[in-house]
Amino acid sequence: MYLGSRKSLEANEIVKDLNGFDLVVHNCMINANIQWGNLEEAQRLFDGMPERNEVSWTALISGFMKHGRVEESMWYFERNPFQNVISWTAAICGFVQNGFSFEALKLFLKLLESGVKPNEVTFSSICKACAEINDFRLGLSVFGLIFKAGFEKHVSVCNSLITLSLKMGEVDLARSVFDRMAKRDVVSWTVILDLFIEMGDLGEARRIFDEMPERNEVSWSVMIARYNQSGYPEEAFRLFRQMTRYSFKPNTSCFSIVLSALASLKALRSGMHVHAHVLKIGIEKDVFISNALIDLYSKCGETKDGRLVFDSIVEKDVAHVVSWNSMIGGYGLNGQMEEAKELFDNMPKRNDVSWSAIISGYLEHKQFDLVFAVFNEMLLSGEIPNKSTFSSVLCASASVASLEKGKDLHGKIIKLGFPYDVFLGTALTDMYAKSGDTESSRRVFDRMPDKNEISWTVMIRGLAESGYAKESINLFEEMEKTSITPNELTILSVLFACSHSGLVDKGLKYFNSMEPIYNIKPNGRHYTCVVDMLSRSGRLSEAEDFINSMPFEPDSNAWASLLSGCKTYKNEKIAERAVKNLWKLAEEHPAGYVLLSNIYASAGRWIDAMNVRKLMTEKGLRKSGGCSWVEVRNQVHFFYSEDGSQSQVTELHGVLELLMSEMLTVFSAIEWFQRGGCSRDQNTRVLTELSATAQVHAKLCEMLDPFAGGS
């Protein structure tokens, strides 16, 4: 009783009261002290024993192994006068538990040489050792020994054999062992359940799970995790609720998986209930739980609650760098980049994921200049970017069509020895394509050893948008010959290519094949692309009929595409019908008014054009401002329409006005020069004016790069 309740003082008093030495009591005291972690006290008791039996020796051998003191354990094993199967097995199991599987196998061979017969625990440990060191030839030999010794029907041995078979890749052998088992326990069922989960056969795994006569926390957690990983978070949460209803207690891993599933569903209320459960059992400080909670609240838009979770960890000084990264990512997800940067700057320790999180946040919200700034800061800090970081910065380079930056990044990727895998290869292909270097884009694409549907889509779209429509369609046809199935973006890129190359009938064929052949249901973007394709080719009536036959309410882009075609082919009647529909959607697409105004203007109907513009003013509609950028000495500068945020905007406008004035002077001089010769002095004046213009341009560049110096 005292030993069970960890009352060592009372237990020692009882030992003192005993008349003489009691072997059983001393063995119990040794075992109890080992369980409490008092190895020195257990050793003292053992050394003071006038008599010892096999239980005494085995207790110390297994006890020291259990606490990782392998050398001391083997010291007692080698001096043990009772070397029976129990002590051999204790040493073998200890080696396996401490990661010394090879030593366990060598000791097993000595056991066989000694003439001692292994038992079921010995064989189970040896199966695990074979699996750990991937020695499958030896594993097959162990199979033979097990059958020869008659342990092939023992439940624990069979469970180990199934695990070993799976590690060997022998799925049929694992299933054969399971099917031949006369008796199975919950471990047997869980192992075979894991087999089908690893094979990706979720349906068969669920069938086995439903047939299991009994389940444990592991089998429930395995199914919940697989449903979440396979993109079925609703089913994962439903199973979790069943699990708790049947009074099973989820472990930390299970709770973190369920919170992840609820984050995917953005199920805030259910997530808060699980959070309450976590608080009740006191595991909220676990790093996996806290990160899952931060992710849940962030994805539900509740960053304040996420920050409360984060701060509660920091106060207890338990915060891991992963928690900081989760909170930065949460702020980035919700566009709170100032808070994200402040937290990032205050991090006690950063890793490559920290840098990637802040860079991804800036990229998500199109703050490309800050993407480059933080990336440069990362390089200066000595942190080596990972693939995710490179992918984000390449995406930013593609977005601003900065070929020089993209090439510089490509050079760093090569220097660091990153291979052209699907992740980086696709990002590089996209960067070169969007920067106008289609040849380099195709070269990177062709060098990729493996490609997925995104890789193919990026290249197909890149060719289409760069004017290589026929090459784009040819590449799609090449993709169809592979095992990769196109997605909705691939088809959209092909429709875009057909639209810009006048291949209307071919485009319609692809569109009509989407559901029957590719199993893709067309969305609004596909329909709009077909409208654009018909409108560009002058088939305006057909385009209008197509819009009216859509299975859902057409959006403003479809009518705007038709209106654009009407402008090209000067069809005022269809244009007026299109604009009536655009008026209903004017608040979300004021550009439709601009198009109609341009159509009236091109037809010489100036009063109607002015009336449309006036109507826009009365409704308070404005076309969104444009944005342009210039790259000077490897630094990108952004300029927005009617935006005075550029630090030197006044001086820039002054230089631009001066440049315009100088250009007009030069153009006048050139025009005069071309009308009929001039003297040498007059030639000199023209060249001087050209030189002045060049100096103004140099001044403009210098302003954009204050560190240019005299370079």
Side-chain angles (χ1 to χ4, degrees):
M1 178 183 73
Y2 288 121
L3 294 176
S5 58
R6 299 174 65 92
K7 295 183 178 180
S8 56
L9 291 175
E10 291 86 341
N12 286 327
E13 289 299 320
I14 291 175
V15 172
K16 290 177 184 177
D17 291 341
L18 289 172
N19 293 322
F21 168 74
D22 190 300
L23 181 61
V24 175
V25 172
H26 270 73
N27 285 343
C28 289
M29 287 292 294
I30 289 170
N31 275 309
N33 277 285
I34 287 170
Q35 288 177 13
W36 299 335
N38 300 332
L39 295 183
E40 282 69 25
E41 179 62 20
Q43 197 172 16
R44 188 191 66 77
L45 285 168
F46 179 86
D47 292 341
M49 290 172 71
E51 177 192 351
R52 306 178 188 109
N53 63 6
E54 60 188 36
V55 176
S56 318
W57 287 91
T58 305
L60 276 191
I61 293 165
S62 62
F64 278 106
M65 282 290 190
K66 191 179 293 182
H67 291 276
R69 293 163 66 168
V70 178
E71 289 183 9
E72 291 166 275
S73 174
M74 290 307 295
W75 188 91
Y76 283 102
F77 174 79
E78 288 164 1
R79 288 157 180 75
N80 176 17
F82 306 98
Q83 286 202 353
N84 57 15
V85 66
I86 297 173
S87 56
W88 281 94
T89 301
I92 291 168
C93 289
F95 272 133
V96 175
Q97 288 165 5
N98 285 281
F100 299 105
S101 295
F102 189 70
E103 285 74 8
L105 289 168
K106 288 198 294 187
L107 195 60
F108 177 69
L109 292 175
K110 287 183 181 179
L111 177 148
L112 296 175
E113 290 168 0
S114 72
V116 175
K117 292 183 178 180
N119 62 16
E120 66 276 8
V121 181
T122 321
F123 277 123
S124 296
S125 296
I126 288 303
C127 285
K128 186 176 181 182
C130 291
E132 288 294 326
I133 65 172
N134 295 329
D135 194 335
F136 300 141
R137 286 185 63 188
L138 184 58
L140 290 172
S141 300
V142 171
F143 257 85
L145 281 173
I146 288 169
F147 278 85
K148 188 176 179 180
F151 285 102
E152 74 277 5
K153 293 184 180 179
H154 200 284
V155 175
S156 65
V157 176
C158 287
N159 291 342
S160 298
L161 284 174
I162 293 170
T163 303
L164 176 60
S165 301
L166 294 177
K167 285 270 188 177
M168 292 164 59
E170 297 289 341
V171 176
D172 293 337
L173 182 58
R175 187 61 198 257
S176 174
V177 172
F178 178 80
D179 291 339
R180 284 208 302 254
M181 290 175 71
K183 184 181 178 183
R184 306 179 183 114
D185 62 6
V186 66
V187 177
S188 317
W189 284 97
T190 304
V191 170
I192 206 70
L193 175 68
D194 196 45
L195 158 66
F196 286 101
I197 283 175
E198 288 300 318
M199 290 171 60
D201 193 343
L202 195 57
E204 182 64 14
R206 183 55 188 267
R207 187 188 67 76
I208 289 172
F209 179 80
D210 291 338
E211 288 179 2
M212 289 174 70
E214 61 174 317
R215 303 171 186 141
N216 59 11
E217 284 79 2
V218 176
S219 48
W220 281 98
S221 296
V222 163
M223 280 306 301
I224 291 168
R226 181 53 66 175
Y227 270 117
N228 187 45
Q229 291 165 4
S230 301
Y232 301 103
E234 303 96 333
E235 187 61 23
F237 183 56
R238 197 181 71 79
L239 270 182
F240 172 78
R241 293 178 66 184
Q242 277 187 14
M243 178 184 182
T244 53
R245 249 196 328 266
Y246 293 146
S247 301
F248 287 96
K249 294 181 179 178
N251 57 20
T252 302
S253 173
C254 188
F255 271 117
S256 64
I257 291 164
V258 168
L259 286 167
S260 173
L262 293 172
S264 300
L265 296 169
K266 298 183 180 178
L268 180 60
R269 186 177 292 275
S270 297
M272 292 174 76
H273 288 154
V274 175
H275 189 180
H277 198 155
V278 163
L279 289 168
K280 187 177 179 181
I281 59 179
I283 59 170
E284 72 279 2
K285 297 296 186 289
D286 178 88
V287 67
F288 295 105
I289 295 290
S290 58
N291 291 338
L293 284 168
I294 292 168
D295 186 51
L296 167 74
Y297 286 120
S298 298
K299 285 182 177 174
C300 293
E302 300 293 336
T303 49
K304 286 184 179 179
D305 291 327
R307 185 59 188 260
L308 286 174
V309 173
F310 174 78
D311 288 341
S312 70
I313 309 167
V314 175
E315 287 172 5
K316 297 285 188 277
D317 198 28
V318 185
H320 192 273
V321 65
V322 178
S323 306
W324 290 80
N325 294 343
S326 297
M327 194 66 245
I328 291 168
Y331 279 135
L333 189 67
N334 289 278
Q336 297 170 272
M337 292 311 300
E338 288 184 11
E339 291 86 344
K341 189 62 165 66
E342 182 183 358
L343 195 63
F344 177 80
D345 290 338
N346 291 325
M347 285 184 76
K349 183 181 178 183
R350 299 170 186 155
N351 59 12
D352 56 346
V353 180
S354 316
W355 290 95
S356 187
I358 192 75
I359 287 171
S360 297
Y362 284 129
L363 176 68
E364 181 71 23
H365 299 283
K366 297 182 172 31
Q367 295 174 278
F368 305 124
D369 49 342
L370 293 175
V371 169
F372 301 130
V374 175
F375 181 71
N376 289 333
E377 188 184 337
M378 178 184 186
L379 295 176
L380 290 171
S381 75
E383 187 72 55
I384 297 174
N386 57 25
K387 292 179 183 179
S388 176
T389 311
F390 271 121
S391 179
S392 295
V393 185
L394 281 168
C395 186
S397 299
S399 299
V400 298
S402 176
L403 185 58
E404 287 305 311
K405 278 194 178 296
K407 284 182 175 179
D408 181 56
L409 290 166
H410 193 176
K412 286 183 172 64
I413 290 167
I414 293 170
K415 188 177 179 180
L416 290 170
F418 286 117
Y420 282 172
D421 62 359
V422 170
F423 201 67
L424 276 179
T426 302
L428 282 167
T429 302
D430 187 49
M431 182 277 297
Y432 278 118
K434 287 181 177 174
S435 300
D437 191 348
T438 313
E439 187 178 337
S440 296
S441 178
R442 185 61 190 263
R443 192 157 48 241
V444 171
F445 176 79
D446 290 338
R447 287 178 182 174
M448 289 171 63
D450 298 303
K451 306 176 184 76
N452 60 11
E453 71 278 3
I454 300 172
S455 314
W456 285 92
T457 300
V458 163
M459 192 68 250
I460 291 167
R461 185 186 63 198
L463 288 168
E465 291 179 350
S466 298
Y468 298 99
K470 290 183 180 178
E471 289 84 350
S472 174
I473 295 165
N474 290 339
L475 187 63
F476 174 71
E477 291 172 351
E478 187 181 328
M479 177 187 178
E480 288 186 296
K481 295 173 185 176
T482 69
S483 59
I484 297 172
T485 307
N487 58 27
E488 59 181 40
L489 289 176
T490 319
I491 303 297
L492 188 66
S493 300
V494 174
L495 292 175
F496 180 88
C498 292
S499 176
H500 286 71
S501 60
L503 300 173
V504 181
D505 292 332
K506 196 162 194 173
L508 290 172
K509 186 196 82 171
Y510 283 127
F511 177 81
N512 293 325
S513 302
M514 284 182 68
E515 284 197 87
I517 295 179
Y518 306 114
N519 198 28
I520 300 170
K521 189 172 183 178
N523 59 31
R525 294 172 71 188
H526 295 104
Y527 278 94
T528 299
C529 204
V530 173
V531 173
D532 182 66
M533 183 165 54
L534 293 167
S535 300
R536 281 175 182 271
S537 63
R539 294 159 67 168
L540 301 177
S541 297
E542 196 175 341
E544 186 179 20
D545 292 340
F546 185 81
I547 292 175
N548 292 325
S549 66
M550 284 186 185
F552 43 77
E553 190 69 28
D555 64 7
S556 55
N557 290 319
W559 291 111
S561 295
L562 177 60
L563 196 56
S564 180
C566 292
K567 179 191 172 187
T568 303
Y569 293 97
K570 298 181 174 54
N571 192 319
E572 297 172 34
K573 289 184 179 179
I574 294 179
E576 287 178 348
R577 288 199 295 271
V579 87
K580 283 179 182 177
N581 288 284
L582 266 175
W583 277 345
K584 300 172 187 175
L585 307 164
E587 281 71 17
E588 65 179 77
H589 200 97
Y593 283 98
V594 178
L595 275 171
L596 183 62
S597 174
N598 291 340
I599 290 169
Y600 284 143
S602 63
R605 295 169 59 178
W606 300 108
I607 295 176
D608 290 330
M610 289 177 62
N611 287 336
V612 171
R613 292 284 181 172
K614 184 180 178 182
L615 186 61
M616 284 183 68
T617 305
E618 290 173 356
K619 286 180 173 284
L621 300 175
R622 296 181 64 190
K623 190 181 176 185
S624 57
C627 169
S628 61
W629 54 85
V630 61
E631 185 174 358
V632 179
R633 293 181 176 88
N634 209 31
Q635 186 176 0
V636 180
H637 301 268
F638 292 85
F639 300 91
Y640 299 90
S641 176
E642 299 180 16
D643 174 33
S645 62
Q646 240 286 344
S647 58
Q648 295 172 286
V649 65
T650 305
E651 195 175 352
L652 280 168
H653 280 295
V655 174
L656 285 170
E657 286 176 12
L658 180 59
L659 184 61
M660 287 292 293
S661 174
E662 292 288 344
M663 287 171 67
L664 287 171
T665 304
V666 171
F667 291 149
S668 299
I670 291 172
E671 186 180 1
W672 172 78
F673 181 80
Q674 289 175 339
R675 279 201 301 266
C678 56
S679 66
R680 180 169 179 168
D681 291 340
Q682 290 167 333
N683 273 336
T684 303
R685 184 169 66 84
V686 171
L687 292 172
T688 302
E689 288 170 346
L690 284 169
S691 176
T693 305
Q695 288 173 8
V696 174
H697 180 261
K699 172 64 177 173
L700 185 64
C701 291
E702 185 181 340
M703 287 174 59
L704 288 170
D705 185 9
F707 305 104
S711 62

